[in-house]
Amino acid sequence: MYTAAGIVLAGGKSTRMGTNKALLPLGQESMLATVVTALRPLFPKIIVVTNTPELYQDLKVRLVPDVIPNLGPLSGFHAGLLASPYWHNFIVACDMPFLAPDFIKYLLEQAPGYDVVVPRRGEYLQPLHAVYSRGCLKAIEDCLAGGNYQAFAFYPRVKVRYVDVDRLAGCSDPEKIFFNINTPADLARARRMLHEKDLLP
């Protein structure tokens, strides 16, 4: 286990899905439970940020609400980091179920001396699958107070390490790792991907 917490954001409105996607079944578990199960062997503390904690009592994780609600993922970063007892934390969205433990380990290994370790593919960042330190809290609070709610709005105010995924031999399937489920079509594709994985020898 790493000296860090695993933080899962489960507070999205799921507007494109039409229902709470965290609860949708994916394999034998819900989408959120699939992510939590993947993180359990890696972290001594799992925190789920949600404004509907009554829906997830069975997960046996720490459930925390947004402190500054309704401002998107940045609110979730803030609540999760505030609740964490650890300096570094891996934060991921609940709709990214194909996590790769070796890649998470690699990101955490790059964290000493940095506040953010974020994967990058070309010009695109993956801020909802990244490592953050509690040193980000003041910068996040300033962005929230100033009305800048982009997930990476605070990056210029902290020390960021960008991990260029396409140059990493160890990140064999970034399309799968960063696949996130927003629509019913995405969910159907994820279920096919999961089925194919289960059929592998």
Side-chain angles (χ1 to χ4, degrees):
M1 285 195 175
Y2 308 115
T3 308
I7 298 173
V8 188
L9 306 186
K13 293 186 169 66
S14 302
T15 48
R16 283 186 279 172
M17 186 65 73
T19 187
N20 182 353
K21 59 186 173 183
L23 291 173
L24 289 172
L26 186 67
Q28 300 300 311
E29 301 181 293
S30 70
M31 197 183 310
L32 174 57
T34 299
V35 173
V36 168
T37 297
L39 295 180
R40 267 195 215 283
L42 308 179
F43 300 102
K45 186 86 170 177
I46 307 291
I47 298 166
V48 171
V49 182
T50 172
N51 292 317
T52 53
E54 66 278 3
L55 299 178
Y56 311 119
Q57 298 293 332
D58 60 321
L59 290 177
K60 295 181 172 54
V61 296
R62 182 165 183 202
L63 302 166
V64 299
D66 290 334
V67 178
I68 306 171
N70 303 318
L71 298 180
L74 211 53
S75 290
F77 290 1
H78 178 253
L81 292 174
L82 271 180
S84 175
Y86 298 100
W87 182 250
H88 284 114
N89 304 270
F90 175 69
I91 298 183
V92 67
C94 72
D95 63 359
M96 300 179 80
F98 299 109
L99 298 177
D102 287 349
F103 183 61
I104 295 171
K105 177 185 176 185
Y106 179 82
L107 295 178
L108 287 161
E109 287 171 347
Q110 311 310 304
Y114 291 89
D115 292 305
V116 178
V117 181
V118 61
R120 177 170 61 187
R121 298 191 71 203
E123 61 188 61
Y124 295 102
L125 300 178
Q126 297 290 340
L128 299 184
H129 186 296
V131 174
Y132 296 93
S133 82
R134 284 175 51 88
C136 296
L137 279 167
K138 176 66 167 62
I140 292 172
E141 288 168 356
D142 289 346
C143 286
L144 290 170
N148 192 350
Y149 308 139
Q150 282 185 303
F152 43 80
F154 64 99
Y155 283 15
R157 306 175 188 222
V158 296
K159 193 169 183 184
V160 181
R161 183 165 200 164
Y162 297 96
V163 173
D164 288 306
V165 175
D166 293 330
R167 299 180 188 175
L168 282 182
C171 190
S172 56
D173 196 352
E175 291 288 345
K176 190 170 185 179
I177 290 172
F178 301 129
F179 183 74
N180 67 306
I181 301 170
N182 289 310
T183 66
D186 292 338
L187 180 62
R189 184 179 168 200
R191 286 171 172 161
R192 286 195 300 273
M193 290 161 69
L194 195 68
H195 181 64
E196 289 160 6
K197 186 182 98 171
D198 289 342
L199 291 178
L200 292 175

